[in-house]
Amino acid sequence: MRGRCRAHHHGAALRWMRSLSEAGVFVLRTDPGDVRRAFITLSDQAHEAMIGWLTRFATVFALR
């Protein structure tokens, strides 16, 4: 049962990565040396949005 649960979460994670990639949040690149593996990075647009959010967060919650 335990291995089955892990497989379920693995499949869910892959579905989320695929969905977020299709939405333009992630960029998936297959490893040319091992097609079973993929590298994930934030898209340029998601990176800029994250930097903007972190900048606003840091301003609002700055230590005083």
Side-chain angles (χ1 to χ4, degrees):
M1 189 70 140
R2 209 172 196 183
R4 187 171 176 215
C5 184
R6 257 187 247 152
H8 173 73
H9 290 300
H10 181 74
L14 291 174
R15 282 191 299 278
W16 272 107
M17 288 188 303
R18 193 173 301 117
S19 294
L20 291 169
S21 178
E22 290 171 0
V25 177
F26 290 149
V27 176
L28 297 175
R29 292 187 181 90
T30 303
D31 181 354
D34 185 351
V35 296
R36 297 170 296 174
R37 184 167 66 174
F39 299 105
I40 304 168
T41 58
L42 283 175
S43 67
D44 291 340
Q45 183 179 1
H47 178 263
E48 290 302 318
M50 183 62 72
I51 294 298
W53 184 86
L54 289 170
T55 301
R56 287 189 301 279
F57 183 87
T59 302
V60 172
F61 294 101
L63 295 176
R64 296 175 186 169

